[in-house]
Amino acid sequence: MKKLIMMVLWSISVCTYGQQATGAKAARPNIVYIMSDDHGYQAVSAYGYGLNKTPSIDRLAKEGALFTTATVTNSLCAPSRAVMLTGKHSFINGKVDNVQHFDWNQDNFPKLLRKAGYQTAMVGKIHMDGLPQGFDYSAVLPDQGDYYNPDFIINGVKQQIHGYVTDITTDLALKWLDNRDKSKPFCLLYHQKAPHREWMPAERYYKKYTKMTFKEPETLFDDYKGRGTAAKSAEMNILKDMNWADDDKIRPEVLKELGIHSLLKWDTVAYNRSLGRMDPEQRAAWDAVYDPINEDFKKRYPTMSKEDLMHWRYQRYMQDYLGSIAAVDEGVGELLDYLDKNGLTENTIVVYTSDQGFYMGEHGWFDKRFMYEESLKTPLLIRYPKEIKPGTKITSMVQNLDFAPTFLDYGGAKIPADMQGESFRKLVAGKTSKWRDAIYYTYYEYPSIHMVKRHYGIRTDRYKLIHFYYDINEWELYDLQKDPHEMHNVYNDSSYRTVREEMHRKLDELRKKYKDSDANDQKYIKAYLSATLKKK
């Protein structure tokens, strides 16, 4: 009898353990990783810059955490995405610029989560060659993608979908969520094209935003006197280097009439191609708003000074750029509502970020690439009700390098020893304050569009050291506490000699830690020049 009772108790314990194990596996968090393209932190209202309103994205900060010093390792679209996927610096994963091939055969975190029992999907923009690996489902834009009536490659099959790209990307993501295998935890990479150049908002938003006026940054008319060759020679000034047709939406025939010549051959080609994708109804709605802008510009242009033109071009830029973000925010709201309605909110990690920062007129610039703050830092907001307290603020320097190990940590999957990032799970949950005291950055794509010099460097909480190399050899040092806009290079200031020496020591340490070297620089210079020569 005693033996029988023991057997029954043993059977109950086994069943109970099995149920707990199954329940624990099922309770692993879902992951929704939202990435937009070129969305600067200044254009997320939770960061307090007052440019625009992003109420849905702000929900993640209110209900979770906002990172004030999230940074990238390489401020360029495809390289940033490769770092995000692999948890390795560009010089390790091989995708150092937009030219080099990305090897999908290497490990990435979706592959590893999939092996661990997750169902995975990627929807939207990835901007890397080859069919994405690691996903049960993929619906991606070829190359940069188009704003209107875009093509998508769905599980390897290309098809055109009628509508606006941001809305379509959201619809495809929600459709996948509805049809997924609900017995498994899921990881969804939901990636928007917007607000990438050429900034074409949805009809409902360009009608609104083209009537708005936005506050100019205080460094809009920067003369770069406090910096070296790199800042002075970059070609990303709003007045001098922004395209007139595809960026400002001035018709080619108006430019010809006014005697304005585009600097880049693809300006009018891109303009005609983008608008050429519209159906008659879409084009009529567009012309009804942008034709009056063209007519007004024709009248004003002959008497406009350079300062007037800079003011005008800045407003045109912001109207379309911020108008493009409005639909992204709307899509985030739809996704959050879906999670609420389907009882998924409590057990789903939702991340919002961008592939890098972006200039919105600071230093007179648009685009990214530099290690200066506006392009180095990126928005990062994360919500996970089970572990993250509402209203949390994180000032530690996390990087896109850290996403892969963090997601693997949350998903209970083993983090490969060769991943260079660190999981910030305990950091954001308030279980540790221990974190890195410096971050490492590289940029390789030169000579190329925007002509931003090759450089690498480090940033600490207060200081930043940058080395520009290849066709120049210049160092820059900034005191971010005294000079947050990075207007004055103090590298040769004798009062910063001790700081300079310490920053050089830290730089050497990080280059050794991450396995970077001058040999890597030379390797990728040769690879880039070889690839660009082949294109010619």
Side-chain angles (χ1 to χ4, degrees):
M1 183 69 177
K2 186 176 180 180
K3 187 175 181 181
L4 178 63
I5 292 172
M6 291 298 292
M7 287 179 68
V8 170
L9 290 173
W10 178 83
S11 298
I12 291 171
S13 69
V14 169
C15 290
T16 303
Y17 174 80
Q19 289 170 356
Q20 288 174 342
T22 303
K25 187 175 181 181
R28 285 184 297 169
N30 305 307
I31 299 167
V32 177
Y33 179 80
I34 310 170
M35 178 187 276
S36 54
D37 196 308
D38 290 346
H39 189 174
Y41 58 89
Q42 313 94 302
V44 174
S45 47
Y47 282 91
Y49 286 82
L51 264 178
N52 61 332
K53 294 181 180 180
T54 52
S56 297
I57 298 171
D58 292 358
R59 268 188 67 185
L60 299 176
K62 183 179 179 181
E63 299 168 9
L66 180 143
F67 291 73
T68 61
T69 322
T71 64
V72 294
T73 60
N74 184 340
S75 186
L76 193 62
C77 301
S80 177
R81 293 163 190 272
V83 170
M84 173 271 294
L85 286 167
T86 65
K88 301 174 185 178
H89 274 279
S90 300
F91 47 84
I92 300 296
N93 69 51
K95 187 63 176 169
V96 297
D97 51 45
N98 281 338
V99 176
Q100 304 304 316
H101 171 72
F102 177 67
D103 181 10
W104 279 103
N105 291 320
Q106 63 187 303
D107 269 344
N108 62 47
F109 79 82
K111 280 186 184 181
L112 297 171
L113 286 176
R114 194 180 182 199
K115 287 179 183 177
Y118 273 72
Q119 190 175 22
T120 59
M122 175 185 284
V123 178
K125 184 174 180 179
I126 188 60
H127 193 210
M128 290 196 290
D129 53 325
L131 187 66
Q133 292 183 26
F135 303 95
D136 296 292
Y137 172 84
S138 64
V140 298
L141 295 162
D143 195 37
Q144 295 285 4
D146 293 287
Y147 274 104
Y148 281 85
N149 306 325
D151 294 324
F152 274 81
I153 301 171
I154 301 179
N155 286 340
V157 180
K158 187 175 180 179
Q159 66 180 83
Q160 186 175 17
I161 302 177
H162 185 271
Y164 183 66
V165 68
T166 305
D167 301 339
I168 295 168
T169 303
T170 300
D171 291 344
L172 288 172
L174 295 178
K175 184 178 179 181
W176 180 82
L177 285 172
D178 250 353
N179 295 302
R180 73 188 192 280
D181 181 350
K182 295 180 175 60
S183 69
K184 295 181 179 181
F186 65 83
C187 175
L188 168 64
L189 276 59
Y190 163 46
H191 290 186
Q192 293 288 10
K193 168 186 169 62
H196 192 277
R197 195 180 188 185
E198 284 86 12
W199 314 303
M200 296 179 71
E203 179 184 341
R204 60 190 181 278
Y205 289 117
Y206 65 66
K207 286 181 176 179
K208 175 182 177 182
Y209 276 75
T210 52
K211 297 176 183 177
M212 298 172 70
T213 301
F214 300 94
K215 183 182 177 182
E216 296 175 351
E218 52 187 275
T219 60
L220 182 64
F221 290 92
D222 190 353
D223 59 12
Y224 316 116
K225 285 182 179 177
R227 271 62 44 83
T229 304
K232 294 171 184 174
S233 62
E235 296 176 358
M236 41 196 250
N237 185 274
I238 292 172
L239 175 62
K240 299 176 183 177
D241 304 306
M242 187 173 276
N243 285 340
W244 285 98
D246 60 334
D247 290 339
D248 286 342
K249 315 303 187 296
I250 300 300
R251 296 193 306 269
E253 58 269 27
V254 173
L255 296 176
K256 186 177 181 180
E257 182 180 339
L258 295 174
I260 299 173
H261 302 285
S262 296
L263 294 175
L264 299 172
K265 292 180 180 178
W266 54 265
D267 180 11
T268 56
V269 173
Y271 174 87
N272 290 327
R273 181 183 179 279
S274 295
L275 269 65
R277 295 187 69 88
M278 293 179 172
D279 67 27
E281 186 177 349
Q282 291 167 335
R283 182 61 188 268
W286 179 274
D287 289 345
V289 171
Y290 285 90
D291 280 357
I293 292 173
N294 275 256
E295 292 305 312
D296 178 67
F297 182 70
K298 278 172 62 177
K299 294 175 183 176
R300 297 172 59 187
Y301 178 75
T303 60
M304 293 173 81
S305 66
K306 288 184 178 180
E307 289 76 14
D308 293 334
L309 275 173
M310 181 59 131
H311 293 308
W312 185 90
R313 300 198 79 179
Y314 172 77
Q315 294 302 329
R316 271 282 49 249
Y317 170 32
M318 284 295 96
Q319 288 166 356
D320 290 344
Y321 176 86
L322 298 174
S324 299
I325 289 171
V328 174
D329 185 71
E330 186 178 18
V332 172
E334 290 181 41
L335 187 135
L336 295 180
D337 289 346
Y338 178 93
L339 297 178
D340 290 342
K341 290 173 184 176
N342 288 275
L344 295 167
T345 299
E346 189 69 16
N347 195 43
T348 300
I349 298 161
V350 181
V351 172
Y352 184 87
T353 189
S354 177
D355 49 358
Q356 67 265 314
F358 211 68
Y359 293 97
M360 280 165 257
E362 297 88 359
H363 308 294
W365 289 335
F366 66 105
D367 206 69
K368 57 262 185 178
R369 301 165 196 265
F370 273 115
M371 196 188 169
Y372 302 132
E373 290 292 274
E374 291 83 3
S375 50
L376 174 69
K377 288 167 58 176
T378 187
L380 176 58
L381 308 92
I382 177 171
R383 185 187 74 180
Y384 182 33
K386 286 187 175 181
E387 294 189 13
I388 302 172
K389 294 179 181 178
T392 296
K393 278 198 176 181
I394 303 294
T395 59
S396 301
M397 292 179 288
V398 301
Q399 288 197 283
N400 54 348
L401 193 69
D402 302 320
F403 288 128
T406 299
F407 294 146
L408 293 175
D409 188 358
Y410 278 123
K414 185 179 179 181
I415 302 170
D418 62 350
M419 276 193 176
Q420 297 178 305
E422 302 174 46
S423 170
F424 54 74
R425 181 179 182 178
K426 289 183 179 178
L427 179 72
V428 74
K431 293 182 178 180
T432 185
S433 58
K434 186 179 179 182
W435 196 248
R436 64 171 66 93
D437 63 357
I439 57 99
Y440 183 57
Y441 179 90
T442 58
Y443 177 77
Y444 300 88
E445 193 167 295
Y446 176 87
S448 185
I449 185 172
H450 299 305
M451 298 300 283
V452 173
K453 304 285 189 184
R454 292 172 183 261
H455 59 289
Y456 60 83
I458 61 165
R459 184 199 194 277
T460 64
D461 182 54
R462 178 169 177 175
Y463 300 105
K464 184 182 295 182
L465 178 67
I466 309 173
H467 181 214
F468 292 97
Y469 67 96
Y470 178 59
D471 58 346
I472 61 172
N473 181 24
E474 295 182 7
W475 291 87
E476 294 183 1
L477 176 67
Y478 295 97
D479 184 337
L480 300 173
Q481 187 179 97
K482 293 183 177 180
D483 180 24
H485 298 306
E486 298 166 293
M487 301 290 283
H488 305 288
N489 174 20
V490 295
Y491 186 81
N492 293 314
D493 187 329
S494 59
S495 65
Y496 283 89
R497 185 183 67 180
T498 302
V499 172
R500 184 179 67 219
E501 290 173 353
E502 175 63 15
M503 291 295 283
H504 270 286
R505 185 188 65 78
K506 282 183 176 289
L507 177 63
D508 291 341
E509 284 181 0
L510 285 191
R511 278 170 71 82
K512 185 176 180 181
K513 174 183 176 179
Y514 291 123
K515 302 177 182 177
D516 197 12
S517 64
D518 291 343
N520 278 340
D521 299 336
Q522 294 303 314
K523 170 186 173 182
Y524 288 116
I525 286 170
K526 290 178 181 178
Y528 179 76
L529 294 176
S530 175
T532 51
L533 282 172
K534 283 180 182 178
K535 281 190 172 184
K536 290 180 181 179

